[in-house]
Amino acid sequence: MIAPEFWSIPADTPSESELARKTATFKHRLLDIDSRFSDVRFATSLAAEDMVITDAIAKSKANIQLFTLATGRLHQETVDMTKTTENHYGISIAQVYPEESDIQAFIDQYGMNGFYDGEVAKKACCSARKIKPLNAALIGADAWLTGQRREQSTTRVELNFEEHDDARGIVKFNPLFDWTESDIWAYIKQENVPIHPLHLKGYPSIGCEPCTRQVKQGEDIRAGRWWWLQSDSKECGLHVNK
């Protein structure tokens, strides 16, 4: 049982009518994306928002390919969650790995855990383990999806449903951009969506194991990501357009 001082899944829920309205709009967005683009890909972290999107993709049979970034520093629970999700929905999630040469270059320059030394080293690690693999995974795609929400952090308050990813030259969609944390968990409960085990241990946001910690009650839900850095450094670079 989780200690009471840590974050826990919110108990407050939207009204049934409000959740039904948001769910219908969300599913319409996915089907619209599917109809507009021929090669759509979804990068899932297996955390709550991404599981909501996965659930909707699987149940709607939308032609959207799923993949996850196997960084080599994930919690074992995240590694196991990939298989749990595949088995639950009868789908396949491609695992995208970083290049060994990029990882070795980072270690040679900064050390295995050099990302703790500051923003520059943290960005270098994320580049090797996440950004370069993501770029490779999106080659040939004409659109991609994320589980980002405006409510998640100060760096996402101006997030829109549809954006142009200038860095990669494709369209990017954030189909849950206007959902609240309570909306996410109400949907998960209603639709019996598999829950990442770390969400039950005080982790509202989940990334690589050495860069993610539990969050205390009342803290920002992304406070556990790169906690040794400033609050405006809670992005790894995956969602920087330029």
Side-chain angles (χ1 to χ4, degrees):
M1 185 176 181
I2 187 171
E5 68 266 26
F6 292 116
W7 172 92
S8 59
I9 294 172
D12 57 314
T13 59
S15 66
E16 289 185 12
S17 60
E18 177 65 7
L19 181 60
R21 182 189 67 79
K22 283 194 169 182
T23 298
T25 300
F26 161 56
K27 291 183 176 180
H28 174 76
R29 289 169 180 168
L30 286 184
L31 292 175
D32 181 59
I33 294 168
D34 187 25
S35 68
R36 289 170 55 194
F37 298 90
S38 60
D39 190 340
V40 184
R41 302 178 194 178
F42 172 45
T44 175
S45 67
L46 292 310
E49 288 83 2
D50 291 353
M51 290 304 299
V52 168
I53 295 176
T54 298
D55 181 84
I57 290 173
K59 290 177 179 176
S60 69
K61 306 297 184 183
N63 184 29
I64 298 175
Q65 301 176 53
L66 281 74
F67 68 91
T68 190
L69 300 176
T71 67
R73 300 301 301 271
L74 299 176
H75 298 81
Q76 185 59 46
E77 291 92 336
T78 300
V79 175
D80 295 342
M81 189 66 185
T82 301
K83 184 57 66 177
T84 296
T85 304
E86 290 179 325
N87 291 340
H88 183 84
Y89 292 108
I91 60 174
S92 177
I93 301 175
Q95 297 197 54
V96 179
Y97 298 91
E99 293 289 340
E100 290 186 12
S101 58
D102 290 333
I103 301 303
Q104 191 59 52
F106 171 82
I107 294 172
D108 290 344
Q109 182 171 357
Y110 297 101
M112 176 63 75
N113 295 323
F115 41 78
Y116 289 129
D117 294 337
E119 179 71 12
V120 172
K122 168 250 191 176
K123 285 185 175 179
C125 186
C126 288
S127 176
R129 293 186 182 275
K130 300 174 74 174
I131 298 172
K132 287 186 177 181
L134 175 69
N135 293 344
L138 292 177
I139 292 175
D142 49 11
W144 71 293
L145 308 183
T146 87
Q148 293 186 106
R149 296 185 295 109
R150 285 178 174 173
E151 189 189 61
Q152 286 172 325
S153 70
T154 57
T155 59
R156 299 179 179 181
V157 292
E158 296 183 358
L159 192 69
N160 293 311
F161 164 55
E162 181 174 345
E163 305 174 320
H164 190 268
D165 188 337
D166 296 327
R168 301 174 180 90
I170 60 176
V171 180
K172 181 171 74 172
F173 290 96
N174 309 298
L176 297 173
F177 78 104
D178 54 352
W179 279 44
T180 67
E181 186 182 27
S182 295
D183 294 333
I184 294 296
W185 289 103
Y187 180 100
I188 287 173
K189 181 178 180 180
Q190 176 178 282
E191 299 297 327
N192 192 33
V193 177
I195 298 175
H196 193 301
L198 290 180
H199 288 314
L200 305 176
K201 299 179 180 179
Y203 293 76
S205 181
I206 302 167
C208 288
E209 188 277 331
C211 302
T212 311
R213 65 166 174 80
Q214 294 165 303
V215 168
K216 293 181 179 179
Q217 289 285 356
E219 283 189 299
D220 183 272
I221 61 172
R222 284 179 67 81
R225 303 293 297 278
W226 307 290
W227 67 91
W228 63 93
L229 298 172
Q230 297 299 313
S231 61
D232 59 355
S233 299
K234 301 299 185 179
E235 301 288 354
C236 62
L238 291 180
H239 303 299
V240 176
N241 287 341
K242 295 181 180 180

Short mmCIF file of all heavy atoms in Angstrom, two decimals, residues 152-174:
data_model
loop_
_atom_site.label_atom_id
_atom_site.label_comp_id
_atom_site.label_asym_id
_atom_site.label_seq_id
_atom_site.Cartn_x
_atom_site.Cartn_y
_atom_site.Cartn_z
N GLN A 152 -0.42 19.30 -17.61
CA GLN A 152 0.73 18.56 -17.06
C GLN A 152 1.84 19.44 -16.52
O GLN A 152 2.50 19.07 -15.55
CB GLN A 152 1.29 17.61 -18.12
CG GLN A 152 0.43 16.39 -18.36
CD GLN A 152 0.91 15.58 -19.54
OE1 GLN A 152 1.41 16.13 -20.53
NE2 GLN A 152 0.77 14.27 -19.46
N SER A 153 2.11 20.57 -17.17
CA SER A 153 3.24 21.39 -16.73
C SER A 153 3.16 22.79 -17.33
O SER A 153 2.41 23.04 -18.27
CB SER A 153 4.57 20.75 -17.12
OG SER A 153 4.77 20.82 -18.51
N THR A 154 3.99 23.68 -16.78
CA THR A 154 4.04 25.05 -17.27
C THR A 154 4.55 25.13 -18.70
O THR A 154 4.30 26.12 -19.40
CB THR A 154 4.94 25.91 -16.37
OG1 THR A 154 6.26 25.32 -16.33
CG2 THR A 154 4.39 25.98 -14.96
N THR A 155 5.28 24.13 -19.14
CA THR A 155 5.81 24.14 -20.50
C THR A 155 4.78 23.67 -21.53
O THR A 155 5.07 23.69 -22.73
CB THR A 155 7.06 23.24 -20.59
OG1 THR A 155 6.71 21.90 -20.20
CG2 THR A 155 8.16 23.75 -19.68
N ARG A 156 3.59 23.28 -21.07
CA ARG A 156 2.60 22.74 -21.99
C ARG A 156 1.26 23.48 -21.98
O ARG A 156 0.29 23.03 -22.57
CB ARG A 156 2.35 21.25 -21.69
CG ARG A 156 3.61 20.41 -21.86
CD ARG A 156 3.42 18.93 -21.56
NE ARG A 156 4.66 18.20 -21.78
CZ ARG A 156 4.81 16.89 -21.61
NH1 ARG A 156 3.78 16.15 -21.20
NH2 ARG A 156 5.98 16.31 -21.83
N VAL A 157 1.22 24.64 -21.32
CA VAL A 157 -0.06 25.33 -21.15
C VAL A 157 -0.64 25.85 -22.46
O VAL A 157 -1.84 26.09 -22.55
CB VAL A 157 0.08 26.49 -20.14
CG1 VAL A 157 0.32 25.96 -18.75
CG2 VAL A 157 1.18 27.47 -20.55
N GLU A 158 0.18 26.05 -23.47
CA GLU A 158 -0.30 26.54 -24.76
C GLU A 158 -0.41 25.42 -25.80
O GLU A 158 -0.52 25.68 -27.00
CB GLU A 158 0.61 27.66 -25.27
CG GLU A 158 0.60 28.89 -24.36
CD GLU A 158 1.46 30.02 -24.90
OE1 GLU A 158 2.09 29.83 -25.96
OE2 GLU A 158 1.49 31.08 -24.26
N LEU A 159 -0.38 24.20 -25.32
CA LEU A 159 -0.46 23.05 -26.21
C LEU A 159 -1.76 23.05 -27.01
O LEU A 159 -2.82 23.39 -26.50
CB LEU A 159 -0.40 21.78 -25.36
CG LEU A 159 -0.18 20.44 -26.07
CD1 LEU A 159 1.23 20.37 -26.63
CD2 LEU A 159 -0.41 19.30 -25.07
N ASN A 160 -1.67 22.68 -28.27
CA ASN A 160 -2.85 22.58 -29.14
C ASN A 160 -3.07 21.14 -29.57
O ASN A 160 -2.19 20.30 -29.46
CB ASN A 160 -2.68 23.47 -30.37
CG ASN A 160 -2.67 24.94 -30.02
OD1 ASN A 160 -3.55 25.42 -29.30
ND2 ASN A 160 -1.68 25.66 -30.51
N PHE A 161 -4.27 20.88 -30.10
CA PHE A 161 -4.57 19.54 -30.60
C PHE A 161 -3.67 19.18 -31.78
O PHE A 161 -3.09 18.10 -31.83
CB PHE A 161 -6.04 19.47 -31.03
CG PHE A 161 -6.39 18.30 -31.90
CD1 PHE A 161 -6.10 17.01 -31.49
CD2 PHE A 161 -6.99 18.49 -33.13
CE1 PHE A 161 -6.41 15.91 -32.30
CE2 PHE A 161 -7.32 17.40 -33.94
CZ PHE A 161 -7.02 16.12 -33.53
N GLU A 162 -3.53 20.09 -32.71
CA GLU A 162 -2.73 19.82 -33.91
C GLU A 162 -1.61 20.83 -34.01
O GLU A 162 -1.82 22.04 -33.87
CB GLU A 162 -3.61 19.89 -35.17
CG GLU A 162 -2.87 19.62 -36.46
CD GLU A 162 -3.78 19.55 -37.68
OE1 GLU A 162 -5.00 19.43 -37.50
OE2 GLU A 162 -3.26 19.60 -38.82
N GLU A 163 -0.41 20.35 -34.24
CA GLU A 163 0.77 21.20 -34.40
C GLU A 163 1.57 20.70 -35.59
O GLU A 163 1.40 19.56 -36.03
CB GLU A 163 1.65 21.13 -33.15
CG GLU A 163 0.96 21.46 -31.84
CD GLU A 163 1.85 21.23 -30.63
OE1 GLU A 163 2.57 20.21 -30.62
OE2 GLU A 163 1.81 22.07 -29.74
N HIS A 164 2.46 21.55 -36.07
CA HIS A 164 3.40 21.08 -37.08
C HIS A 164 4.75 20.90 -36.41
O HIS A 164 5.29 21.83 -35.81
CB HIS A 164 3.53 22.03 -38.25
CG HIS A 164 4.31 21.44 -39.39
ND1 HIS A 164 5.67 21.60 -39.54
CD2 HIS A 164 3.92 20.64 -40.41
CE1 HIS A 164 6.07 20.93 -40.60
NE2 HIS A 164 5.04 20.34 -41.15
N ASP A 165 5.25 19.69 -36.48
CA ASP A 165 6.55 19.37 -35.91
C ASP A 165 7.61 19.79 -36.92
O ASP A 165 7.99 19.02 -37.81
CB ASP A 165 6.62 17.86 -35.62
CG ASP A 165 7.88 17.47 -34.85
OD1 ASP A 165 8.87 18.22 -34.92
OD2 ASP A 165 7.86 16.41 -34.20
N ASP A 166 8.07 21.03 -36.79
CA ASP A 166 9.03 21.57 -37.75
C ASP A 166 10.35 20.80 -37.74
O ASP A 166 11.01 20.66 -38.76
CB ASP A 166 9.31 23.05 -37.45
CG ASP A 166 8.07 23.91 -37.62
OD1 ASP A 166 7.25 23.60 -38.50
OD2 ASP A 166 7.92 24.89 -36.86
N ALA A 167 10.73 20.31 -36.57
CA ALA A 167 12.00 19.60 -36.45
C ALA A 167 12.02 18.33 -37.29
O ALA A 167 13.07 17.92 -37.78
CB ALA A 167 12.27 19.26 -34.99
N ARG A 168 10.84 17.71 -37.43
CA ARG A 168 10.76 16.43 -38.16
C ARG A 168 9.97 16.54 -39.46
O ARG A 168 9.87 15.57 -40.21
CB ARG A 168 10.16 15.36 -37.26
CG ARG A 168 10.99 15.15 -35.99
CD ARG A 168 10.36 14.19 -35.01
NE ARG A 168 11.20 14.04 -33.82
CZ ARG A 168 11.10 14.81 -32.73
NH1 ARG A 168 10.16 15.74 -32.65
NH2 ARG A 168 11.91 14.62 -31.71
N GLY A 169 9.38 17.69 -39.71
CA GLY A 169 8.68 17.92 -40.96
C GLY A 169 7.38 17.15 -41.10
O GLY A 169 6.98 16.83 -42.23
N ILE A 170 6.72 16.84 -39.98
CA ILE A 170 5.44 16.14 -40.03
C ILE A 170 4.46 16.78 -39.05
O ILE A 170 4.83 17.61 -38.22
CB ILE A 170 5.59 14.64 -39.71
CG1 ILE A 170 6.15 14.43 -38.29
CG2 ILE A 170 6.45 13.94 -40.74
CD1 ILE A 170 6.24 12.97 -37.88
N VAL A 171 3.21 16.37 -39.15
CA VAL A 171 2.18 16.88 -38.26
C VAL A 171 2.20 16.09 -36.96
O VAL A 171 2.40 14.87 -36.97
CB VAL A 171 0.79 16.78 -38.92
CG1 VAL A 171 -0.29 17.32 -37.99
CG2 VAL A 171 0.78 17.53 -40.24
N LYS A 172 2.00 16.78 -35.84
CA LYS A 172 1.94 16.14 -34.53
C LYS A 172 0.59 16.43 -33.88
O LYS A 172 0.11 17.56 -33.92
CB LYS A 172 3.06 16.64 -33.62
CG LYS A 172 3.06 15.98 -32.25
CD LYS A 172 4.30 16.32 -31.44
CE LYS A 172 4.29 17.73 -30.90
NZ LYS A 172 5.43 17.97 -29.97
N PHE A 173 -0.01 15.40 -33.30
CA PHE A 173 -1.31 15.55 -32.65
C PHE A 173 -1.21 15.22 -31.17
O PHE A 173 -0.52 14.28 -30.77
CB PHE A 173 -2.34 14.63 -33.31
CG PHE A 173 -2.72 15.03 -34.70
CD1 PHE A 173 -2.09 14.45 -35.80
CD2 PHE A 173 -3.69 15.99 -34.92
CE1 PHE A 173 -2.43 14.83 -37.09
CE2 PHE A 173 -4.04 16.37 -36.20
CZ PHE A 173 -3.41 15.79 -37.29
N ASN A 174 -1.93 16.00 -30.38
CA ASN A 174 -2.04 15.79 -28.94
C ASN A 174 -3.53 15.61 -28.63
O ASN A 174 -4.20 16.56 -28.18
CB ASN A 174 -1.48 16.99 -28.19
CG ASN A 174 -0.09 17.39 -28.67
OD1 ASN A 174 0.85 16.62 -28.55
ND2 ASN A 174 0.04 18.58 -29.21
#
